[in-house]
Structure formats: C-alpha cells, structure tokens
Amino acid sequence: MSKKKIQAIRGMNDLLPEHSPLWQYFEGTMRGLLARYGYAEIRTPIVEQTALFKRSIGEVTDIVEKEMYTFEDRNGDSLTLRPEGTASCVRAAMEHGLLHNQTQRLWYQGPMFRHERPQKGRYRQFHQVGVESFGLEGPDIDAEVILLSARLWRELGLMEHVTLELNSLGSSEARAAYRDTLVAYFDQHHDQLDEDSRRRLSSNPLRILDSKNPEMAAMLAQAPKLIDHLDDESLAHFKALCAMLDDAGVAYVINPRLVRGLDYYGRTVFEWTTTALGSQGTICAGGRYDGLVEQLGGKPTPAVGFAMGIERLILLLDTLALVPNAARRELDLYLLPMDDAATASALLLGERLRDELPGLRVQLHCGGGSFKSRIRKADKSGARLALLLGEDERTNGTATLKFMREDREQQSLTQGALAETLIELLGKRDH
C-alpha cells in the first residue's frame, strides 16, 4: 500500500531558494533603513496567551472571532499563534521594563497566523515587519513613522505606485459620542445593512464604515464623518500632522471612512494602498494606540506604529520588476576541478579566494563526473565565471578562467593574480 505524500498545510507556503533573494533584498533594505532612524529590533515568541489578543485586538473583531489559531496546551492553558505583532511587542516591552519613564523605538519581523481564505498575496502563515514607538505623544512621531515608510517606498522604487490614506479617530470620548450618532444613522438605514453590518451595529459600528459591499457604498458615503466630530485636541494633533507631511512633500488623501480593524487604535490612522496588484490593496497600515499599554495592565503610554505584509510587498516588487539583478545574488564563480585528482587543490583554492574576497559568491563542483558533465553543471549554476583546475594548472600554479555568459576567450592566470583579476571583472572592490 502506497503511503500518501505529506504536503504543506493550505495557506502556509514554502519559501524556495529561487524566491529567497527577493526576501533578502527587501529585508536588508528595511533593516538598514530602520537602523538609520534609530529603531532597535525586538523578537517575541510566535505563541502567546490567548487573553493577550482578546484584550488588545478586541473580542468582537474578525481576527478574534474567526481567524485565530487557538489551542489548549497540556496544562489546559489557552494559547494562540500570534495573528499580529503589536500586542506581543507591548507585552514584551512591559514585561521587561522597557516603558518605565523612557521612550522606545522598536521594530520586529516574523511570521503571523490567521485562518482566513488564502488568496493572492494573503496566506494563513504570513510575514510582517512592524515598527512601534512608545512614550511620545506629539504629531512629530506620527509624521516620522509615515516619513520612514515613504522613504522605504522611494528606496524600493514604489513611490509612484502607492497612495497614503489618512484619518483621525479622535479621543475615546469623541469616538463614543460619534458612535451614538453613527448608530442612529444606521438605524435609519437598517434595511440597507448586510448581515455582517447588522451584527456589528451593537458591537463595533465603526467597522461598518470599512465595508466593501458595493450595495452599501452610497449609504456609507452619506454617513456622518468622524472627522467632523473630533475633540479639539485631536483635531489640532491631526492638523499639525498634515502640516508636517505637507512641509515634507508627502502627498496624502484624507479618507473619513478609514477606521482600521483593530480596537486599540485612536487618533491618527493611516494606510498605504496600491492598485498595481489589481483591485486596491493595503500594503502598510498603522496609527496611534495610546490606550493599549494601559489596557494590558501598564501605565498610560502614548504609542504609534505600523505593520506591512512582506508577501504582498514581494509580490508588488516582482510584478513591477523592481528587484535589481544584483539583489538576486547569482553565483560569481564556479570552481571546477577538471578531474578527481584536482579536487583537493580546488577545495583549498576556493577557501583562499574566500579569505581574500569575502564578498565573492563561489561554489565548488562536487560529485565527480566526466569533464563534459562538469561543464554542464557549471553552466547550469548560473555563475558568470568558471575557474578550471587540471593537471597542467596544478603543475604550473595557474588556473583557467572561463567566461560563462560572454563570448570571450578564456584566460590562463597565475593563482596569485586571481583575486585582483576577479575584482576587475566583477566590478566591485568588496568582492
């Protein structure tokens, strides 16, 4: 009886070697940018107590109600695979005393888990980069995290393909008063609400504004706008933020229906969206969550941040052909012993070249075979150059350089001159 092959769980994908250079390019760009802005990396477990997400995200959100991977461990404790990173970051910062009378600029990356229908660029195990700043309450830090994300788009070549949408949710008191106004409006149009919106009417009516149901679009467009009901302090904060973005030359659209799907947001909320993947999609989203630390048992702490989905950004970069060839990290050199007797010498030569040229991407031919099959493997490797070592080369202390991607005569070089020649041919001193 044949055994059934075990496959990956639906929506949890393997990252294959051909795709990993794209991820490394994005992650390297992001890591360098965050270091330049003074953000420090924090790494948290992928499993947390379920209560952390119920208390932070909100029990009546789609994530908590429908999408979390929750289970009981052997002690009977309810645990959850993290569906987002902010709550874990806050928990870790509180637990280790990072928020006590100090400011923090933190970032993280890693897998998150939500049980939703897999689709293009969205998976059940997906990866996010998140940025969180604690202890700063002015609009200047809101502006900085938005400018940071804008700089990332410029460095990746995405700026002309994305749009910044901005809104303010005001204070909790202003939202509570607005909520009453909004519920009264929806009650007047109850027959136009879909089933999901009717369910949210009593629990989270602001989320109805975010509905994508086209049959409700006209009714939602006429709904009262939160920005018209802001408290004076929040309105001043929002106007100051907009002025800073204007001064910095960052274009934005004020979207009064932008509310975000997580309960902990207040005041500034923003999304970067794109239409380059077909229908409009969000590639980065965030805002203020000044009440979350207190909600989780800490002292009142202002906070702002954002998260972006790496899969969707990789897809966007690939679709728009914005990944530079150098980022794909092809091999520079295939080191080819022409017979088995040359293998030991080739092995030592490879180590010497790696010592002399730390950035050189070199692969040694292993596994023997005929000379013809060795050349085929050198070609298949994708390397720009092959370095051949046979009996004559070993005797003379030379190596034969073969151009794999250009129509050029091969060269015989002394092994002592190899490093300088490779630097010239590959065009980079760091090789």
Side-chain angles (χ1 to χ4, degrees):
M1 188 174 72
S2 62
K3 292 183 179 179
K4 186 178 179 181
K5 287 184 179 178
I6 297 175
Q7 295 184 312
I9 298 167
R10 185 167 181 252
M12 300 188 179
N13 296 354
D14 300 305
L15 179 61
L16 301 180
E18 64 189 277
H19 298 128
S20 60
L22 280 71
W23 285 65
Q24 291 164 3
Y25 166 67
F26 170 76
E27 290 168 348
T29 303
M30 190 78 200
R31 185 181 296 273
L33 179 64
L34 289 164
R36 281 149 51 201
Y37 274 80
Y39 282 76
E41 185 180 9
I42 186 169
R43 303 190 184 194
T44 61
I46 62 170
V47 179
E48 299 271 11
Q49 293 184 44
T50 303
L52 173 65
F53 303 113
K54 286 189 174 182
R55 286 169 59 183
S56 60
I57 298 171
E59 294 206 37
V60 292
T61 56
D62 284 351
I63 295 174
V64 171
E65 286 185 331
K66 305 175 185 177
E67 297 170 3
M68 294 203 313
Y69 282 91
T70 297
F71 60 96
E72 280 194 6
D73 72 357
R74 293 182 179 182
N75 295 327
D77 297 324
S78 181
L79 305 179
T80 295
L81 295 176
R82 62 185 183 194
E84 58 97 43
T86 300
S88 294
C89 184
V90 170
R91 190 270 311 148
M94 289 169 55
E95 186 171 333
H96 298 283
L98 302 185
L99 306 182
H100 183 63
N101 294 329
Q102 54 191 312
T103 61
Q104 293 287 350
R105 285 175 166 91
L106 305 174
W107 74 275
Y108 53 84
Q109 69 172 358
M112 311 292 166
F113 303 84
R114 296 184 193 176
H115 192 282
E116 53 186 343
R117 185 171 63 86
Q119 52 188 294
K120 192 175 183 181
R122 269 185 214 280
Y123 306 103
R124 290 175 175 174
Q125 176 177 314
F126 58 101
H127 297 75
Q128 284 187 341
V129 172
V131 168
E132 317 288 359
S133 176
F134 299 98
L136 299 164
E137 60 184 353
D140 48 358
I141 188 64
D142 299 21
E144 186 191 66
V145 298
I146 292 173
L147 291 176
L148 187 160
S149 57
R151 185 174 296 275
L152 177 66
W153 310 141
R154 289 198 298 274
E155 293 191 3
L156 294 174
L158 287 172
M159 199 63 188
E160 64 184 273
H161 303 283
V162 297
T163 300
L164 173 61
E165 298 186 7
L166 204 59
N167 194 21
S168 176
L169 301 182
S171 66
S172 56
E173 293 80 12
R175 278 198 309 282
Y178 168 70
R179 174 185 165 134
D180 293 340
T181 303
L182 191 64
V183 169
Y185 174 80
F186 286 142
D187 281 340
Q188 292 173 7
H189 299 84
H190 196 269
D191 57 334
Q192 296 178 47
L193 298 176
D194 57 24
E195 185 180 343
D196 203 38
S197 298
R198 289 175 183 175
R199 181 177 59 83
R200 285 178 167 150
L201 190 57
S202 59
S203 58
N204 198 347
L206 269 67
R207 288 286 286 124
I208 300 175
L209 296 171
D210 203 30
S211 171
K212 304 299 186 287
N213 186 340
E215 295 179 6
M216 293 169 51
M219 181 269 293
L220 291 176
Q222 299 300 315
K225 294 177 174 56
L226 177 53
I227 203 160
D228 296 331
H229 294 75
L230 292 183
D231 55 288
D232 292 343
E233 198 174 333
S234 294
L235 185 60
H237 183 106
F238 189 63
K239 285 182 175 178
L241 168 61
C242 291
M244 290 176 187
L245 296 178
D246 291 338
D247 290 344
V250 174
Y252 55 88
V253 175
I254 295 178
N255 178 0
R257 288 172 53 187
L258 178 60
V259 294
R260 305 292 300 122
L262 309 177
D263 278 2
Y264 51 63
Y265 283 109
R267 283 200 179 171
T268 305
V269 287
F270 66 90
E271 289 186 358
W272 287 95
T273 62
T274 183
T275 55
L277 296 176
S279 60
Q280 185 184 40
T282 301
I283 57 169
C284 173
R288 277 210 161 265
Y289 51 97
D290 294 344
L292 182 56
V293 175
E294 187 177 12
Q295 195 174 314
L296 292 176
K299 293 183 178 179
T301 305
V304 61
F306 66 74
M308 55 182 69
I310 299 179
E311 281 86 354
R312 287 182 70 77
L313 281 164
I314 296 294
L315 180 62
L316 186 59
L317 291 169
D318 208 22
T319 300
L320 297 171
L322 290 173
V323 180
N325 288 332
R328 296 184 183 273
R329 306 292 288 171
E330 287 94 350
L331 280 176
D332 295 316
L333 182 68
Y334 193 85
L335 192 53
L336 196 156
M338 296 165 68
D339 52 41
D340 290 346
T343 297
S345 298
L347 181 69
L348 294 178
L349 179 59
E351 292 305 301
R352 200 182 91 198
L353 287 173
R354 292 185 183 99
D355 286 340
E356 295 176 359
L357 302 172
L360 187 70
R361 299 182 288 263
V362 55
Q363 187 176 91
L364 173 69
H365 174 88
C366 296
S370 66
F371 178 68
K372 193 172 182 179
S373 72
R374 294 175 192 229
I375 288 290
R376 275 201 306 269
K377 287 186 177 179
D379 184 50
K380 191 176 180 181
S381 75
R384 293 172 60 185
L385 305 168
L387 200 60
L388 280 57
L389 205 64
E391 184 176 352
D392 290 345
E393 286 82 3
R394 296 200 313 280
T395 301
N396 301 328
T398 61
T400 299
L401 192 64
K402 182 176 176 61
F403 296 86
M404 303 300 292
R405 311 293 158 213
E406 301 171 68
D407 186 17
R408 291 175 62 174
E409 289 287 328
Q410 60 188 36
Q411 300 176 13
S412 179
L413 303 166
T414 63
Q415 292 186 18
L418 277 174
E420 200 59 40
T421 301
L422 289 171
I423 288 173
E424 291 173 11
L425 290 170
L426 296 168
K428 290 184 180 179
R429 294 299 306 180
D430 62 0
H431 279 276

